[in-house]
Amino acid sequence: MPRNYLLLLLLLLGIVLSVQGSDSMFMKENKEKSAVFLSPNFVLGAGSVGNKWYYNIDFPRGHIAIKEFNAEVVDEFGNPVPLHETYLHHWVVIRYHAPKDTETPEENDPNKLSFKKNIIVRNSGICNNLGQYFGLGSETRRTETYVPDPYGIEVGNPAEIPEGYEERWLVNVHAIDTRGVEDRLGCTECKCDLYNVTIDEYGRRLKPGYTGGLYCCYDETQCRIRQGFNSIKRSLYLRYTVKWVDWEDSIVPVKIYIFDVTDTGNRGNNSGTACKVEYEIERCGSPGVDRNSVCADNKKTSVVMPNGGYVIYGAAHQHSGGIGSALYGEDGRLICASIPVYGDGKEPGNEAGYIVGMSTCYPQPGSVKISDGETLLLESNYSSTRTHTGVMGLFYILVVDQLPTRSSSMPIHMLHKLKSFNYTWVLVFLGVSAAVAVVVGYVRKKDEKEGGYQQL
């Protein structure tokens, strides 16, 4: 091809790139935003526990739709900390309304939210004692939390904030330093004998038979370390990344529902303290356990969904030893199954023996519907080759009341994709293709007159 025609094609390519640049600048005005924040620091030494509550944390402000929330523990240099050094038992993020110009509580006490006229803005249910908007544990780094388009978690709506109040957020971080401990798994499962604990954080004696769980690894408790082991205390942080878009009418708001396999009293009225949050797994062959059964513990409970809708996301939360959880409809249909991912290395996000991720469900929009008042079945499965204490079997789902309005007979999942498709690129591509076709055609005609085609 003659040099001047090659230059022409390069010029067309330059036009494409300039269109891309200007188009990107234009689209950024109302596109997804992202910000990275750090919690206040917490200091841990070998075997120590931090269970901190931080109020009025940094968070995106305004009327927005949250699209994603991720978190991990990092050191003072910003390096991710592996689970075999600091185990992230859990973190939860709670939304609340506080009177304007009031001071942020400094005390490390979640009950402070009930004072000074603070109002917790809970999720949609069904456990009153699980009011968080977001929350995970060791699986944080490799569990998807993205809310697909055109959906979003609506926050900051001025119409929902009482006069004289403002919206704030708090985070609870529960981390256990397992460097140099005698029994790493036992420390992460909060076995009471390893912590030498007989009373809870409020000074109340533990119930008979309680051998491990949250009541034994509260803030500033100490798990037993190997004799002679010394470690340097270090400052750690929860680094969390929030993605969001400004609210607009085309966004479909989602509701957050959290189920607990220990729920024993739900009848559709928010079961409150009937959700016990944690439970114990008995080892195969223990007294009272069927010796002929497979070494797996299967715990089930029925929960009533007060208000139904369409499921657009689902994921479970389990501890080490977990082998999967599932949520079923009243007719036995599978709503979502979530399976743990175990690490097989040493690097953060792939720590051997730890759950480093949970599989998630993103049903095709409209394919999974829960009816108002439907009774769901939740099951949580753990390996029982050994005893486990303080395990959890939570399940998160995002639900919408109504699907986006169909504007044609096209399947709704295709409408979602087309809605976010950039048609400018189609026009640019067609324009460039046409221009190239004209140039090539011209060159061919010219070459034919001059005695044949040239090698490109």
Side-chain angles (χ1 to χ4, degrees):
M1 182 181 293
R3 184 170 179 271
N4 56 332
Y5 297 124
L6 180 60
L7 291 175
L8 178 58
L9 288 177
L10 291 175
L11 177 62
L12 290 171
L13 178 60
I15 293 173
V16 171
L17 294 177
S18 66
V19 171
Q20 179 186 14
S22 61
D23 183 63
S24 296
M25 292 297 292
F26 173 76
M27 296 301 289
K28 278 182 180 179
E29 182 180 351
N30 202 26
K31 278 294 182 179
E32 188 174 276
K33 303 173 185 178
S34 179
V36 180
F37 305 102
L38 287 178
S39 73
N41 74 306
F42 50 98
V43 180
L44 294 181
S48 64
V49 177
N51 189 17
K52 307 295 186 183
W53 294 79
Y54 301 116
Y55 300 84
N56 199 17
I57 60 172
D58 292 329
F59 205 87
R61 306 296 178 181
H63 191 187
I64 61 175
I66 300 175
K67 300 292 293 181
E68 189 172 14
F69 192 107
N70 294 313
E72 65 175 340
V73 173
V74 299
D75 63 21
E76 57 186 331
F77 304 105
N79 301 313
V81 177
L83 293 170
H84 52 75
E85 292 182 6
T86 299
Y87 179 72
L88 184 56
H89 186 280
H90 72 261
W91 56 267
V92 295
V93 175
I94 297 175
R95 176 186 174 205
Y96 69 103
H97 294 151
K100 294 179 179 178
D101 302 322
T102 57
E103 294 183 2
T104 300
E106 295 182 358
E107 296 86 351
N108 182 36
D109 185 353
N111 293 321
K112 288 294 179 182
L113 272 184
S114 62
F115 299 105
K116 299 183 180 179
K117 300 182 180 180
N118 290 309
I119 304 170
I120 299 178
V121 185
R122 301 181 181 276
N123 55 56
S124 296
I126 59 176
C127 298
N128 278 340
N129 54 336
L130 295 172
Q132 66 264 28
Y133 265 50
F134 309 98
L136 291 173
S138 67
E139 75 275 22
T140 293
R141 291 187 175 107
R142 290 173 60 178
T143 301
E144 290 186 81
T145 61
Y146 192 79
V147 183
D149 293 333
Y151 311 105
I153 300 171
E154 182 182 11
V155 299
N157 186 349
E160 298 177 354
I161 301 175
E163 185 176 354
Y165 281 70
E166 63 183 7
E167 185 169 277
R168 296 180 183 177
W169 296 81
L170 73 84
V171 63
N172 167 225
V173 184
H174 188 190
I176 303 170
D177 191 317
T178 57
R179 293 174 295 168
V181 297
E182 288 185 0
D183 181 353
R184 182 175 282 124
L185 180 60
C187 289
T188 62
E189 292 189 343
C190 301
K191 289 191 173 180
C192 301
D193 59 339
L194 290 173
Y195 285 90
N196 195 27
V197 167
T198 58
I199 59 174
D200 66 16
E201 60 186 314
Y202 302 107
R204 300 171 299 196
R205 293 197 65 82
L206 300 177
K207 294 181 179 179
Y210 186 84
T211 59
L214 291 169
Y215 295 126
C216 291
C217 58
Y218 45 88
D219 191 47
E220 298 185 359
T221 52
Q222 177 73 39
C223 198
R224 193 159 60 235
I225 61 175
R226 298 192 301 270
Q227 187 174 2
F229 182 86
N230 294 311
S231 73
I232 299 174
K233 290 185 177 181
R234 59 182 178 182
S235 289
L236 302 174
Y237 304 81
L238 186 75
R239 180 168 63 194
Y240 54 102
T241 302
V242 187
K243 296 182 180 180
W244 75 96
V245 294
D246 294 330
W247 186 263
E248 56 184 41
D249 291 341
S250 61
I251 299 171
V252 180
V254 303
K255 293 180 179 179
I256 303 169
Y257 288 94
I258 303 178
F259 306 105
D260 178 11
V261 77
T262 68
D263 186 348
T264 58
N266 176 255
R267 297 296 180 269
N269 298 316
N270 282 4
S271 54
T273 55
C275 297
K276 303 301 182 184
V277 181
E278 59 180 6
Y279 63 106
E280 185 170 314
I281 304 297
E282 299 241 7
R283 180 178 61 86
C284 278
S286 298
V289 177
D290 184 2
R291 294 177 181 271
N292 297 319
S293 66
V294 295
C295 284
D297 181 90
N298 175 257
K299 190 173 183 64
K300 299 179 181 180
T301 191
S302 295
V303 293
V304 177
M305 187 77 163
N307 300 299
Y310 298 92
V311 179
I312 65 162
Y313 171 86
H317 168 65
Q318 290 189 312
H319 290 187
S320 293
I323 53 178
S325 184
L327 185 66
Y328 298 91
E330 194 168 284
D331 57 359
R333 73 191 186 284
L334 178 65
I335 293 174
C336 177
S338 184
I339 309 299
V341 177
Y342 282 88
D344 58 7
K346 293 184 178 180
E347 67 275 14
N350 189 37
E351 299 92 334
Y354 293 89
I355 294 181
V356 296
M358 295 292 297
S359 68
T360 54
C361 298
Y362 285 94
Q364 180 180 349
S367 64
V368 179
K369 184 179 181 181
I370 299 174
S371 301
D372 293 349
E374 182 173 354
T375 299
L376 308 180
L377 176 68
L378 172 62
E379 70 172 15
S380 179
N381 299 294
Y382 274 82
S383 168
S384 59
T385 56
R386 58 166 296 166
T387 298
H388 293 282
T389 61
V391 303
M392 296 184 182
L394 306 182
F395 213 102
Y396 295 73
I397 61 172
L398 299 181
V399 176
V400 295
D401 292 333
Q402 296 292 331
L403 294 172
T405 304
R406 295 172 183 261
S407 58
S408 68
S409 59
M410 186 177 296
I412 196 160
H413 68 284
M414 291 300 297
L415 288 175
H416 294 169
K417 293 180 180 178
L418 289 174
K419 181 177 179 181
S420 60
F421 196 81
N422 191 342
Y423 288 101
T424 303
W425 277 105
V426 176
L427 298 177
V428 171
F429 176 77
L430 292 175
V432 172
S433 300
V436 171
V438 171
V439 172
V440 172
Y442 177 79
V443 172
R444 285 183 175 177
K445 288 182 180 179
K446 185 174 184 299
D447 287 339
E448 287 173 353
K449 292 180 179 180
E450 294 177 355
Y453 294 106
Q454 296 179 3
Q455 293 291 329
L456 295 180

